[in-house]
């Protein structure tokens, strides 16, 4: 029995020595590389920030009411306030494209926000009149195009926009009318988005909105000197927002 055990040990030692002589290398399993980040997918999110607006008021009737001299000149007012709302959209990172060092990303986005952007200013031509305008809400449907720099996405966007206004004119403390109107216009903007993990991203964005003139009818005073009259108002405004998106693939 003793001789058998010694023979077995000798056999194992000889096998180990033979393996060492063959120089069989030892290697670790290759490390798994994480998949490259892609902006392809859809998202939903929220945003908030500040807005600043500019409104032009022009008489439609002749002689004019805004301009006491009846020369048809235009009064202007400025608005400021906060904006807050949400967005939903989808992006597609085009494979195989390289544009200034990164793949091209295209997308479509819808956005709806409430607003407290408003003003009350005295008419520069008629000191007895106060002109008020408030943007209640605004919305847009835009396309966007960006450059994927790994998890950073600088982009531009543009498309069709809508907003809802409440306007009011007051003459020496008497309200001449408070019509509301929904405008259709266009918007253009730019921003940068950062995906801090595969599902979440934050962005900063600035947008410009332009809405052409639209007529409004005001009842005026029950009698002269300010009976029913018509005003044309046009508007532009800018927003500066920061937002958060949740991406679902």
């Amino acid at each position: 029995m003793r001789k058998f055990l010694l023979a077995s040990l000798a056999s194992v030692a000889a096998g180990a020595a033979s393996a060492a002589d063959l120089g069989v290398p030892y290697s670790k399993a290759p490390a798994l590389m994480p998949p490259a980040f892609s902006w392809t997918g859809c998202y939903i999110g929220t945003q908030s920030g500040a807005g600043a607006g500019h409104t032009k008021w022009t008489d439609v009737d002749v002689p004019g009411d805004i301009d006491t001299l009846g020369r048809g000149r235009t009064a202007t007012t400025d608005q400021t306030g906060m904006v807050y709302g949400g967005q939903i959209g989808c992006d597609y990172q085009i494979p195989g494209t390289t544009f200034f060092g990164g793949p091209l990303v295209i997308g479509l986005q819808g956005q709806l926000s409430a607003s407290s952007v408003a003003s009350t200013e005295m008419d520069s031509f008629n000191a007895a009149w106060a002109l008020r305008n408030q943007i209640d809400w605004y919305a847009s449907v835009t396309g966007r195009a960006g450059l994927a720099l790994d998890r950073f996405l600088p982009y531009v966007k543009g498309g069709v926009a809508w907003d809802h206004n409440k306007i009011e004119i007051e003459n020496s403390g008497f309200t001449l009318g408070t019509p509301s109107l929904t405008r259709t216009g266009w918007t253009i903007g730019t921003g940068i988005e950062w995906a801090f993990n595969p599902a979440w991203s934050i962005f900063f964005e600035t947008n410009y909105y332009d809405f052409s003139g639209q007529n409004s009818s005001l009842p005026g005073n029950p009698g002269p000197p300010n009976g029913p009259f018509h005003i044309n108002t046009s508007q532009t405004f800018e927003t500066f927002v920061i937002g958060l998106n949740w991406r679902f693939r």
Side-chain angles (χ1 to χ4, degrees):
M1 182 68 178
R2 183 178 178 183
K3 291 181 178 180
F4 176 75
L5 290 174
L6 290 173
S8 298
L9 289 172
S11 176
V12 170
S18 298
D21 292 340
L22 291 174
V24 177
Y26 171 75
S27 61
K28 295 182 179 180
L32 296 177
M33 297 296 293
F37 181 79
S38 173
W39 289 91
T40 296
C42 296
Y43 58 88
I44 188 170
T46 184
Q47 60 177 273
S48 62
H54 317 276
T55 302
K56 292 183 179 180
W57 309 67
T58 305
D59 288 313
V60 174
D61 303 321
V62 178
D65 294 289
I66 285 180
D67 184 351
T68 54
L69 300 178
R71 294 176 180 170
R73 290 182 291 184
T74 298
T76 59
T77 59
D78 299 320
Q79 298 86 45
T80 57
M82 303 302 295
V83 296
Y84 39 91
Q87 65 281 341
I88 187 170
C90 291
D91 290 322
Y92 178 64
Q93 183 169 313
I94 303 174
T97 60
T98 301
F99 188 75
F100 288 103
L104 187 64
V105 177
I106 58 174
L108 185 67
Q109 182 185 91
Q111 173 267 333
L112 175 64
S113 292
S115 165
S116 64
V117 177
S119 72
T120 299
E121 296 184 27
M122 300 306 295
D123 182 359
S124 56
F125 299 126
N126 191 337
W129 283 39
L131 309 176
R132 300 189 179 100
N133 184 23
Q134 176 170 334
I135 304 170
D136 294 322
W137 59 261
Y138 64 97
S140 64
V141 175
T142 55
R144 74 172 187 169
L147 180 64
L149 303 176
D150 192 21
R151 292 175 179 255
F152 287 91
L153 181 69
Y155 60 87
V156 295
K157 59 185 291 189
V160 63
W162 302 266
D163 80 339
H164 185 267
N165 283 201
K166 288 181 180 178
I167 66 174
E168 178 178 309
I169 296 180
E170 183 182 286
N171 181 7
S172 302
F174 183 85
T175 300
L176 303 180
T178 57
S180 61
L181 59 156
T182 301
R183 307 175 192 268
T184 300
W186 56 272
T187 179
I188 189 169
T190 185
I192 186 167
E193 190 168 0
W194 172 50
F196 56 88
N197 76 29
W200 293 93
S201 62
I202 60 174
F203 66 90
F204 173 80
E205 185 176 284
T206 178
N207 295 287
Y208 173 83
Y209 297 85
D210 191 294
F211 300 95
S212 58
Q214 189 167 332
N215 290 349
S216 299
S217 178
L218 290 85
N221 290 328
N226 297 120
F229 63 98
H230 302 85
I231 296 295
N232 181 282
T233 56
S234 61
Q235 182 181 56
T236 63
F237 70 94
E238 305 87 35
T239 60
F240 308 87
V241 298
I242 186 169
L244 179 70
N245 283 326
W246 173 63
R247 296 185 166 271
F248 49 95
R249 308 280 177 172

